[in-house]
Amino acid sequence: MSHNCSLPVTSEGVYPFDARGVAKRFRHAAIFGALDSLQPGETMRFCNDHDPLPLLSQINARFGPSVAIAYVQREPGEIVIDFKVIG
C-alpha cells in the first residue's frame, strides 16, 4: 500500500512532510523546524525512502514525550511516520 505525501492538509490536522525532496544536509533542521511549528494535537506525516532511526533518537532526545511517534507504513524504500504533538 502506497501513501501519497503530497496530499493537502487534512481536517484532522495532519500535515504532510516529504523528506525525499529536501537536501540531506538540511533535512533534520527542516524536520525539527516543522515539529516546532505544530500545535498540540497536530500531526506531521513524515515520508522518507529509508527508516530514519538516528532521527527518531534525536526527536526523542529533543522533544521527549511531547511528540508521539507512530509508523503508518514501514516497507523497504517507503517509510511513513506520524509525529503527533501531545498537549
Side-chain angles (χ1 to χ4, degrees), residues 10-25:
T10 68
S11 60
E12 298 88 33
V14 178
Y15 297 87
F17 185 102
D18 192 340
R20 297 169 293 190
V22 180
K24 283 189 176 189
R25 66 184 297 192

Side-chain angles (χ1 to χ4, degrees), residues 25-46:
R25 66 184 297 192
F26 300 124
R27 279 187 190 169
H28 287 203
I31 292 162
F32 292 141
L35 288 171
D36 283 334
S37 70
L38 293 176
Q39 299 298 313
E42 293 181 330
T43 299
M44 180 176 77
R45 177 153 291 161
F46 172 83

Side-chain angles (χ1 to χ4, degrees), residues 30-84:
I31 292 162
F32 292 141
L35 288 171
D36 283 334
S37 70
L38 293 176
Q39 299 298 313
E42 293 181 330
T43 299
M44 180 176 77
R45 177 153 291 161
F46 172 83
C47 297
N48 204 8
D49 56 3
H50 65 278
D51 204 350
L53 298 177
L55 172 67
L56 298 182
S57 294
Q58 291 175 351
I59 288 172
N60 277 326
R62 180 171 175 162
F63 296 99
S66 66
V67 172
I69 299 170
Y71 281 89
V72 175
Q73 182 172 336
R74 195 174 191 181
E75 298 175 17
E78 195 154 346
I79 304 296
V80 180
I81 303 171
D82 279 354
F83 297 107
K84 183 173 184 170

